[in-house]
Amino acid sequence: ETGVTQTPRHLVMGMTNKKSLKCEQHLGHNAMYWYKQSAKKPLELMFVYNFKEQTENNSVPSRFSPECPNSSHLFLHLHTLQPEDSALYLCASSQQVALGDNEQFFGPGTRLTVL
Amino acid sequence: SQQGEEDPQALSIQEGENATMNCSYKTSINNLQWYRQNSGRGLVHLILIRSNEREKHSGRLRVTLDTSKKSSSLLITASRAADTASYFCARGSNYKLTFGKGTLLTVNP
């Protein structure tokens, strides 16, 4: 256990569905991240939040909508996804976004399949 | 590419042998980190080496960093079947980590 939980662990959805992924960290961290991991591709950073403020949107399509209501919770709202969005979505947290050391703690991921 | 790139892509060894994985990068870093991922799971942080450090140890892990060559290596000594996983290097720069594609290590009992 890394102190970062993600729900659901598996999700199958149609292209017209709306669903949300949830991430919670119990580490007292102030920065949270969403990553996408597709087969045979490097881990892709999607969004970064620091003290609830979004500091990075890595050119992610608008069908992915993040929400960070507080430093412990992070959501990824999904709507009208495409089959190529099928991937493992990983949440991570760190003490804060800052220069220097930035060890990140990852959740177990949500395996998303878009039909 | 600004990513950390691991080499080899896959490595298969026998239990008890040492495993060496390499990572190269192209831009300056604050630190370089190694992570491990068991199949379909989240990543687990293994070790962090700062740009002004050359070598670091943690248990059976040894990491080196050569900033002049922009490369790092991860050595796992006396490997065990439980070490079977994917290993990723991540370049730490400012607030971001940039990951490579990883090395799939298989340790055969």
Side-chain angles (χ1 to χ4, degrees):
Chain A
E1 288 294 328
T2 61
V4 181
T5 59
Q6 289 186 244
T7 55
R9 294 294 308 279
H10 300 271
L11 178 62
V12 179
M13 59 187 289
M15 290 191 286
T16 59
N17 291 156
K18 289 185 179 180
K19 297 285 185 184
S20 295
L21 310 185
K22 179 183 176 182
C23 175
E24 184 174 359
Q25 58 95 0
H26 309 273
L27 302 168
H29 289 165
N30 295 300
M32 296 188 77
Y33 310 78
W34 279 117
Y35 288 89
K36 176 184 179 181
Q37 187 176 34
S38 305
K40 301 190 186 305
K41 292 177 69 175
L43 210 61
E44 300 172 58
L45 177 65
M46 300 174 72
F47 301 104
V48 180
Y49 278 83
N50 193 40
F51 292 94
K52 300 189 300 178
E53 297 298 321
Q54 187 180 121
T55 59
E56 178 92 7
N57 176 338
N58 201 21
S59 303
V60 180
S62 60
R63 57 186 184 269
F64 295 91
S65 175
E67 178 189 0
C68 189
N70 54 62
S71 292
S72 299
H73 294 86
L74 185 64
F75 296 88
L76 188 62
H77 303 299
L78 317 171
H79 63 98
T80 59
L81 294 191
Q82 304 298 312
E84 59 264 29
D85 296 322
S86 298
L88 182 67
Y89 288 85
L90 292 164
C91 172
S93 71
S94 67
Q95 285 200 319
Q96 62 177 317
V97 167
L99 291 172
D101 301 345
N102 190 27
E103 175 186 350
Q104 294 184 14
F105 294 77
F106 284 79
T110 294
R111 173 67 64 184
L112 174 67
T113 303
V114 182
L115 302 175
Chain B
S1 166
Q2 297 183 359
Q3 300 161 354
E5 299 290 346
E6 293 90 343
D7 171 63
Q9 291 185 6
L11 179 62
S12 181
I13 60 174
Q14 295 301 121
E15 209 165 21
E17 294 180 340
N18 295 341
T20 299
M21 289 160 271
N22 303 297
C23 171
S24 61
Y25 57 93
K26 296 187 178 181
T27 59
S28 62
I29 59 171
N30 292 330
N31 60 74
L32 193 135
Q33 304 182 32
W34 286 90
Y35 287 79
R36 163 197 167 125
Q37 183 181 35
N38 289 84
S39 179
R41 306 278 298 181
L43 279 71
V44 175
H45 182 264
L46 295 176
I47 198 163
L48 179 153
I49 186 164
R50 297 180 179 85
S51 59
N52 61 353
E53 297 176 314
R54 292 296 168 258
E55 188 170 314
K56 208 161 183 180
H57 296 255
S58 176
R60 294 184 296 112
L61 305 181
R62 173 179 170 249
V63 168
T64 61
L65 179 64
D66 186 336
T67 53
S68 66
K69 295 181 179 178
K70 291 186 167 59
S71 68
S72 173
S73 67
L74 170 67
L75 169 68
I76 303 174
T77 60
S79 64
R80 305 166 182 167
D83 294 328
T84 294
S86 291
Y87 291 82
F88 297 87
C89 72
R91 178 177 63 83
S93 177
N94 294 334
Y95 58 85
K96 288 199 294 188
L97 288 181
T98 306
F99 288 82
K101 293 182 181 179
T103 293
L104 176 59
L105 172 66
T106 302
V107 181
N108 302 297

